[in-house]
Amino acid sequence: MLAYKTGKDFAIELDKNDELASYRNQFHIPKDKNGNNLIYMTGNSLGLQPKSTKEYIDQELNDWAELGVEGHFEAKNPWLGYHEYLTKKMANVVGAKPIETIVMNTLTVNLHLMMVSFYKPTKTRYKILIESDAFPSDKYAVESQLRHHGFCDKEGLILWKPRYGEELLNYDDLETILKQQGDDIALILLGGVNYYTGQFFDLKRITSLGHEYGCLVGFDCAHGAGNVKLDLHDSGADFAVWCSYKYLNSGPGSLAGCFVNEKHAHRKDLNRFTGWWSHNKATRFTMRDEFDQLPGAEGWQLSNPPILSMAAIKASLDMFEEVGMDKLVEKSKKLTGYFEFLMKQLGEDAIRIITPENPDERGCQLSIQVKKADKSLHKRLTASGVISDWREPDVIRCAPVPLYNSFQDIYNLVERLKEILT
Ligand SMILES: *Cc1c(COP(=O)(O)O)cnc(C)c1O
């Protein structure tokens, strides 16, 4: 364990010794009106733009201008198989096999497509278990699936809740729910990392537990992908979905990722929605054949995909490939550990950190409850040049991202917070 120190010189020293420090220069850092860098702590909401993204997109714009439809075959990166350039890189980020991984659609769309295949309710086993503080879109999606199958969304939803006075979820409680109601539950759908508390769940443990009771298990890894080591394949999960615009720095609303466990790769019995892009690539363009489903996660695609969005994803994934998740997570733990250390100097009367203390049970985000605070604190913090996220009634969420946040960012952030609080 690194022994952290409080002074500014220590932050400077940490930056000097940081092997990944140069990556910060490869991003556009938002600035205030006077041209000073803002302290950007919302990579968990929209990751910053790599400077290379423009080049990657320009390449496709130029090829489109010069080649028109021929770009599908003649572009420098022929568009026809463009998603394939992303598959292995994305698989490595989330710890999956290429056959299990596809970049397509957007997150909530993928969640629905996955539930078409993996939410298979019967009269007696139809309920869906989610975290009580699930991201709203996930909750709405799940409720609409229940209604779509003719069930009451209130009765059909089982919530895994924190204990009274706590925020984090306890695995013993999940076990109790499954012991009591496991036979009623068709699907367990949880965030890989909870968006609010930053709690990183033990995907493998949850999956084994769910499977033991005959439930299918899926994860929404929007806050996990590019942030923690998800090891999706080893987790045994049936499916997972995530977006690319948070920690994966691929631009607002960019395409999402989807994981389908290898064990389902060749199943023809699974119900699914299909389109021409789920059809065998070799005969796709003869257009007359009976449907011939592609194996693996690719077989869940519907449409020919937006190349401009994929170009942005490629720019980002090339950087992730160069760095690798191991080094990224190593720096992330140091950065967040340092943040936690400095915050704790403020004292328990001023703040309480909700996020788990164990570095293996969290990513880079710290959710901080500020005692006696209201939204004016967030306003003042923003005015001081810190971009953070506020959640009523009194929690700020900050996510120091190892690719572009520095140790001095953290030092300056805590100094500004101190000034506002005292
Ligand atoms: C960000 C996020 C979403 C957003 O869904 P979109 O379909 O990309 O708009 C959904 N679920 C979770 C858990 C998220 O963190």
Side-chain angles (χ1 to χ4, degrees), residues 90 103-106 242-245 253-257 305-306 309-310 313:
M90 188 62 103
V103 173
M104 61 177 188
N105 312 313
T106 47
W242 59 95
C243 58
S244 68
Y245 52 81
S254 207
L255 291 173
S309 166
M310 285 194 166
I313 298 175

Side-chain angles (χ1 to χ4, degrees), residues 107-108 135 137-138 195 220 222-223 243 245-246:
L107 190 159
T108 307
F135 195 89
S137 191
D138 301 28
Y195 82 102
D220 182 334
H223 283 260
C243 58
Y245 52 81
K246 290 173 179 163

